[in-house]
Amino acid sequence: MQKIITDHFPELDQLSETNKKMLEDGIQIMKAPAGTVMFSEGSECRGYVMLLEGNVRVQKTSEDGREIVLYRVEEGESCIMTTTCLISDEEYGAEGIAETDITVATVPPATFNHLLGNSVKFRNFVFEVYAKRMSMLMMLVEEVVFKKLDRRLAQLLLDRKDAQFEITHQDIALELGSVREVVSRQLKVFERQGLIKLGRGLIEVHDRSGLQAAAD
Amino acid sequence: MQKIITDHFPELDQLSETNKKMLEDGIQIMKAPAGTVMFSEGSECRGYVMLLEGNVRVQKTSEDGREIVLYRVEEGESCIMTTTCLISDEEYGAEGIAETDITVATVPPATFNHLLGNSVKFRNFVFEVYAKRMSMLMMLVEEVVFKKLDRRLAQLLLDRKDAQFEITHQDIALELGSVREVVSRQLKVFERQGLIKLGRGLIEVHDRSGLQAAAD
DNA sequence: TTTCTTATGTGACTTCCGTCACTTATTTTC
DNA sequence: GAAAATAAGTGACGGAAGTCACATAAGAAA
């Protein structure tokens, strides 16, 4: 038996052998290059999508072209957007874009429904992804409403665990739903405070605890 | 057989007789007065909660006391917050408060799980509530990030379908995650434009299409 | 009626943040 | 290596919205 799914989704290793087999046998593996639009307003979907490799950015775009990232689907997670349109016919206006080259496993609707009905574990897995997204979205609302940009920016820098990473000010702005100039200025402030060091398309984090203080 | 649930949740009338009976027999009906805190940070729950009468406001409070309403659970809907903590153990930091006197039906965990496994209709019902909340939260993020307060305020006034209704400026501010003074000022602008008429704790909508224009 | 409480009106000020308009570096590409 | 594209730095400005400080005003309670 293949072990594609359980290799990437350890939680699902607890499924019964029958259910695991059904899942592994039913899935269809697909690869897509970075930049692929996985879903956008009014797209349809043909199965339950689980992300094996890479990550997908889910974002909203405003009328005047500004963007904000709602959340990211990481390796080992499933895409609730496609789940949603699989189960209900709720409309949504978000866009999903592969940030890296990705590999996804698609579970056919019939298999998905069968597993939902027959496996408590699988059901819980699906629900947990939903629950997690809900919490994240609620946190996002809170941050966006109550927190100033400097704090959100500091948090964003901390969320990248690495001591240095490549990103443009423009991309940070899109991520936060702001504009480049504001981000550039605030980054410069952090640099003058010795928290980070700026390069072209590159940020080095020098003082994590200082950034943490700025985020709180 | 009782028909408490199906009277309030028409979608669930399509369940098989067996499942309907199980649902109706298992539920426990409870009433609570307006103002009751249904859940808050770190509260536990003992079942799947369905709202028969009244409505519950779900909100987030910031460190400095400002609030924003995330969404409302209306009559005929279920509370995904309690569902979430029933299924996963995801932490959440939102608070649910009864805005009116309410009547809720609580489905015991065992019944809930049984129905999830045995009824596609019931499962879809549960998922659809989730999907709906997700969309609403995503829309809220979009509004909060990209829309100015005047537009959100106009929309709030339109969302109250009535030509006049009782609400204080303070409550509107909490609803939008803003402060009273800002709301008062903008309401005055609308009044000067002839769109509304202000009274003490009262707003009369005079020109819905004008408000609609202000919201777009 | 008087007094309290709650709701609203407003001016003055500040700060954050988005917009515009350029400039100055780096890289790429021809 | 010159030209073009991309990234970043910055000053100037304006408007939106939060803060502070009172002034009314309308009900409720005593």
Side-chain angles (χ1 to χ4, degrees), chain A residues 17-82:
Chain A
E17 289 305 313
T18 325
N19 286 333
K20 260 198 277 189
K21 183 162 175 20
M22 177 163 209
L23 186 55
E24 298 279 3
D25 288 355
I27 56 169
Q28 188 188 344
I29 308 293
M30 279 182 298
K31 285 178 181 287
T36 304
V37 176
M38 300 299 293
F39 54 88
S40 59
E41 304 202 38
S43 65
E44 56 184 270
C45 59
R46 266 156 280 146
Y48 181 65
V49 176
M50 305 172 81
L51 196 56
L52 302 179
E53 284 164 344
N55 76 83
V56 174
R57 184 175 77 236
V58 177
Q59 64 190 24
K60 266 252 171 204
T61 305
S62 76
E63 299 145 14
D64 58 328
R66 275 169 62 199
E67 293 177 3
I68 183 164
V69 174
L70 297 174
Y71 59 85
R72 286 189 168 74
V73 184
E74 306 283 347
E75 199 172 309
E77 295 178 337
S78 73
C79 174
I80 44 148
M81 282 310 228
T82 51

Side-chain angles (χ1 to χ4, degrees), chain A:
Chain A
M1 190 170 85
Q2 312 180 71
K3 284 180 53 194
I4 310 268
I5 293 290
T6 52
D7 278 356
H8 293 86
F9 295 76
E11 311 92 307
L12 294 180
D13 199 32
Q14 295 167 33
L15 263 60
S16 73
E17 289 305 313
T18 325
N19 286 333
K20 260 198 277 189
K21 183 162 175 20
M22 177 163 209
L23 186 55
E24 298 279 3
D25 288 355
I27 56 169
Q28 188 188 344
I29 308 293
M30 279 182 298
K31 285 178 181 287
T36 304
V37 176
M38 300 299 293
F39 54 88
S40 59
E41 304 202 38
S43 65
E44 56 184 270
C45 59
R46 266 156 280 146
Y48 181 65
V49 176
M50 305 172 81
L51 196 56
L52 302 179
E53 284 164 344
N55 76 83
V56 174
R57 184 175 77 236
V58 177
Q59 64 190 24
K60 266 252 171 204
T61 305
S62 76
E63 299 145 14
D64 58 328
R66 275 169 62 199
E67 293 177 3
I68 183 164
V69 174
L70 297 174
Y71 59 85
R72 286 189 168 74
V73 184
E74 306 283 347
E75 199 172 309
E77 295 178 337
S78 73
C79 174
I80 44 148
M81 282 310 228
T82 51
T83 313
T84 296
C85 77
L86 199 64
I87 292 176
S88 78
D89 37 30
E90 189 69 27
E91 280 286 309
Y92 59 84
E95 209 182 13
I97 296 171
E99 290 197 304
T100 60
D101 289 355
I102 56 171
T103 310
V104 299
T106 306
V107 183
T111 310
F112 179 66
N113 272 305
H114 180 268
L115 287 172
L116 271 187
N118 289 280
S119 168
V120 176
K121 299 255 166 59
F122 185 77
R123 204 157 64 215
N124 285 357
F125 170 77
V126 172
F127 269 110
E128 270 174 33
V129 176
Y130 259 92
K132 196 167 155 194
R133 294 285 175 247
M134 286 289 302
S135 314
M136 292 192 66
L137 278 178
M138 295 196 305
M139 277 177 54
L140 180 60
V141 171
E142 186 182 20
E143 286 187 1
V144 153
V145 175
F146 300 127
K147 285 195 187 166
K148 306 250 162 94
L149 200 89
D150 54 347
R151 296 176 63 184
R152 295 209 291 136
L153 179 55
Q155 191 58 58
L156 180 144
L157 297 176
L158 287 169
D159 287 345
R160 304 271 173 147
K161 309 294 181 191
D162 311 286
Q164 76 168 54
F165 46 85
E166 293 187 1
I167 193 168
T168 67
H169 301 183
Q170 178 62 40
D171 284 345
I172 295 178
L174 291 179
E175 177 105 23
L176 298 175
S178 179
V179 295
R180 185 191 59 83
E181 294 92 321
V182 173
V183 170
S184 281
R185 263 191 280 267
Q186 189 55 50
L187 284 173
K188 257 293 173 255
V189 171
F190 286 157
E191 187 176 46
R192 278 192 282 268
Q193 292 171 344
L195 306 181
I196 58 174
K197 177 88 180 5
L198 297 173
R200 182 188 167 88
L202 181 83
I203 296 178
E204 292 170 33
V205 174
H206 285 172
D207 180 355
R208 287 188 70 84
S209 60
L211 274 180
Q212 190 61 62
D216 298 331

Side-chain angles (χ1 to χ4, degrees), chain B residues 64 66 148-150 177-182 185 200:
Chain B
D64 58 327
R66 274 168 63 197
K148 306 252 162 91
L149 200 91
D150 54 346
S178 180
V179 295
R180 185 192 59 81
E181 293 92 321
V182 173
R185 263 191 278 268
R200 182 186 168 88

